[in-house]
Amino acid sequence: MNKKKYKDWIKVYWLGAMIQILVVCMCPFCMNCADMAYPRILNLLCIAVGGTSSAVWGSIVAKKSGIVASYRQILVQFFQVKQLMRHYVMVFAFLIVLFGKALFAGNLLDGINGYSFVTIFLTAIIFGGIEEIGWRYTFQPSMEKRLPYEVASMLTFLSWGLWHYMYFYIADSLEGIQHGSFLLGLLTSCFVLGAIYHVSNSLWLCVLYHCLFNTFSQTLVANEMLWNYVSNILCTVLAIFIVRIYDRGSERNSCYITK
């Protein structure tokens, strides 16, 4: 696929995902403006339709652009746990940098137990993991065909951040968001998840990281602000370093093949 085609499909994904969640946002917005009460089932429906917009349009673009031959192929890759061990090590290395201090110290939030980790992780697959079909499997890799990884990560951050705030509005959870910490974590995640997919080409590993990130965020006591900044910056720098090393290795291998 040439660069112009990638640009066209990037637009299709971005507009599709954003318009879908924006239209859903208008439902609670109009009702709130009219001071109308609406049933919880309608709120859940809005969350479902808006929250799946990235996965829906990621799947559509992946199929129509020829990234996959069928939608079943996306499902298979979503749960394709057989990956290289070094790629799993990379995923857990990032998580240890971000959450290892609280995890090894046993700093759990009140009411959290072993069962909580399992239920939150499984829930995170639906409310989090499926986002990767759009943002990492389709959107960011397509941009990296035209732009450097660092620029693609930043643009993904801006788009993903806008998408998240619309989702938070639908879920009526904006007031509970610590915006500084959330945006820092989201920016780091764009670089980390982008690096994971760039190196492994694995949708599953991105889903795994995303779900574990959400699980640890909801079960562990937050790090103090200084360490939060340090760990996020460290992960971002590490992600950039990994991608650059990988690209240099790929360039050398391609030169050997050409010769």
Side-chain angles (χ1 to χ4, degrees), residues 26-38 169:
M26 296 306 297
C27 181
F29 176 77
C30 292
M31 289 187 174
N32 289 334
C33 287
D35 200 23
M36 294 173 58
Y38 49 93
Y169 179 79

Side-chain angles (χ1 to χ4, degrees), residues 101-228:
K101 185 177 180 182
L103 186 62
F104 295 136
N107 295 335
L108 303 179
L109 294 172
D110 293 340
I112 297 298
N113 52 42
Y115 179 75
S116 302
F117 279 93
V118 176
T119 55
I120 293 173
F121 178 82
L122 294 177
T123 302
I125 292 177
I126 303 300
F127 297 98
I130 63 171
E131 294 174 28
E132 296 305 314
I133 297 173
W135 298 113
R136 237 64 53 186
Y137 188 70
T138 306
F139 185 67
Q140 187 164 341
S142 295
M143 284 201 297
E144 288 181 27
K145 301 295 183 181
R146 298 172 50 84
L147 301 167
Y149 153 79
E150 294 84 357
V151 176
S153 297
M154 287 298 302
L155 292 176
T156 301
F157 163 68
L158 295 174
S159 299
W160 202 23
L162 176 61
W163 184 93
H164 265 96
Y165 273 95
M166 286 193 282
Y167 177 78
F168 292 149
Y169 179 79
I170 295 169
D172 196 25
S173 58
L174 274 173
E175 291 184 0
I177 302 298
Q178 295 182 342
H179 301 286
S181 297
F182 169 73
L183 290 173
L184 176 62
L186 194 72
L187 176 61
T188 301
S189 291
C190 287
F191 279 90
V192 169
L193 285 163
I196 291 171
Y197 191 81
H198 189 99
V199 172
S200 68
N201 202 36
S202 169
L203 173 60
W204 159 250
L205 289 178
C206 292
V207 172
L208 177 64
Y209 178 90
H210 194 141
C211 293
L212 287 174
F213 184 95
N214 285 5
T215 300
F216 292 146
S217 296
Q218 295 175 52
T219 56
L220 299 175
V221 176
N223 293 317
E224 58 272 19
M225 187 58 67
L226 177 60
W227 178 247
N228 190 38

Side-chain angles (χ1 to χ4, degrees), residues 79-96:
F79 292 107
Q80 196 166 39
V81 298
K82 187 177 180 181
Q83 303 292 334
L84 294 175
M85 183 55 64
R86 66 174 179 270
H87 293 159
Y88 273 107
V89 170
M90 174 177 59
V91 169
F92 285 104
F94 283 120
L95 291 167
I96 288 172

